[in-house]
Amino acid sequence: MANDTPMSPEDQAQADEWAAALAESAGDQSSIDSMLADARPAAPLAPLDAFDTPPRADGPTSMEGPNLEVILDIPVTISMEVGNTSINIRNLLQLNQGSVIELDRLAGEPLDVLVNGTLIAHGEVVVVNEKFGIRLTDVISPTERIRKLR
């Protein structure tokens, strides 16, 4: 990414602060490595079979596999990903209003629909009541989504 506009003094000061912080933390890598080595391993994940519970009075869910009734009301974060790219910190600090970032996706390609970071569908952007929405064009089956959780 090339940016021919000169940086303002305020932007330059911020860039200098970032550079100083990065240089300062570069010497601390050995202490970070030792902290990671001393860290306790994460608790093992419970298998989905642990969520089996007797069906509620209003009947079982229609999904295949274990009874997921116990977790159906847990809120999750859903997000749509237009695309992504990687840039170095130097270019990140040079971004300003009007900068353009090239993404890895072609124009017209479907968006990824992610739930808690896991791909569940693809879709296209629509406008609903003057707000953006997404029309799902390809949805991963519930069985495959559960398999991805394991």
Side-chain angles (χ1 to χ4, degrees):
M1 183 188 93
N3 192 346
D4 296 333
T5 58
M7 292 178 66
S8 70
E10 183 178 295
D11 290 341
Q12 185 61 47
Q14 186 177 17
D16 292 342
E17 286 179 31
W18 273 99
L22 288 173
E24 183 178 307
S25 68
D28 295 340
Q29 186 62 43
S30 61
S31 62
I32 293 171
D33 291 340
S34 65
M35 284 185 348
L36 289 174
D38 295 340
R40 284 187 240 146
L45 297 175
L48 283 180
D49 297 340
F51 293 112
D52 279 343
T53 58
R56 291 188 347 188
D58 57 355
T61 61
S62 62
M63 290 184 272
E64 299 174 11
N67 184 351
L68 299 176
E69 188 69 33
V70 71
I71 63 170
L72 290 180
D73 293 327
I74 296 174
V76 295
T77 301
I78 186 167
S79 60
M80 282 36 113
E81 186 173 283
V82 176
N84 58 56
T85 191
S86 294
I87 62 173
N88 59 36
I89 293 176
R90 178 182 326 299
N91 291 343
L92 176 66
L93 295 173
Q94 292 175 349
L95 293 177
N96 53 36
Q97 187 173 350
S99 296
V100 176
I101 301 171
E102 184 178 344
L103 301 176
D104 64 348
R105 189 141 329 171
L106 297 174
E109 267 189 88
L111 303 171
D112 290 340
V113 179
L114 307 166
V115 173
N116 288 346
T118 301
L119 178 69
I120 62 144
H122 296 287
E124 58 190 16
V125 176
V126 294
V127 177
V128 181
N129 296 330
E130 298 181 15
K131 294 182 180 179
F132 285 117
I134 188 163
R135 177 181 295 122
L136 301 181
T137 57
D138 180 33
V139 179
I140 297 172
S141 72
T143 305
E144 184 63 27
R145 281 181 258 165
I146 290 171
R147 190 174 300 127
K148 282 185 173 188
L149 293 174
R150 290 182 183 210

